[in-house]
Amino acid sequence: MAYSILIVDDSEIIRSMISRTITLTKLPVHTFREARNGIEALDVLNRDWIDIVFTDLNMPVMNGLDLIKNMKKTVDLEDVPVIVITTEGNIHRLDELKDAGARDCIRKPFTPEKIRDVITNVLGVWDAK
């Protein structure tokens, strides 16, 4: 099974880095979709099938926390796993993200191994180590 992945970040460079890093994990990817903020992400999610979302926390228009909250209020999106990739280190903020429904949080800078381990855990896919 190949996965459809949505990467949400206001930085085109970071979106590219995340997609390249996921490619290095050897996870079978059908397609990468991209969005610059939570509003654009919701548009993609309502239009396309997405298996997992990687989102930044701090973005203009709609941040990652508000994206998660909006997804949890939508029946068709509430079960789509969301992984937050952020520079945020405040434990209370990270707990707030998980309480809102984030499946995991990855700190920037990240490694391919960390991305692989989170995907393996969240999607229950084989261990591609």
Side-chain angles (χ1 to χ4, degrees), residues 3-52:
Y3 295 96
S4 293
I5 297 172
L6 174 59
I7 301 169
V8 188
D9 197 296
D10 55 321
S11 167
E12 183 177 350
I13 292 169
I14 296 296
R15 292 192 311 268
S16 177
M17 287 175 55
I18 293 170
S19 64
R20 280 187 304 204
T21 301
I22 292 171
T23 301
L24 290 173
T25 69
K26 299 199 177 10
L27 177 75
V29 175
H30 174 264
T31 187
F32 286 105
R33 299 279 188 245
E34 295 185 4
R36 295 175 295 181
N37 58 61
I39 295 290
E40 288 183 9
L42 289 172
D43 183 51
V44 171
L45 286 159
N46 285 311
R47 187 181 63 237
D48 300 327
W49 177 267
I50 299 295
D51 295 296
I52 189 168

Side-chain angles (χ1 to χ4, degrees), residues 3 20 42 59 65-66 76 80 97 99 103-104 107-108 113 116 122:
Y3 295 96
R20 280 187 304 204
L42 289 172
M59 298 175 288
L65 179 58
D66 290 337
D76 290 341
V80 177
L97 289 164
D99 289 344
R103 295 287 293 275
D104 209 337
R107 295 277 316 272
K108 292 177 187 174
E113 294 80 13
R116 178 202 60 218
V122 170

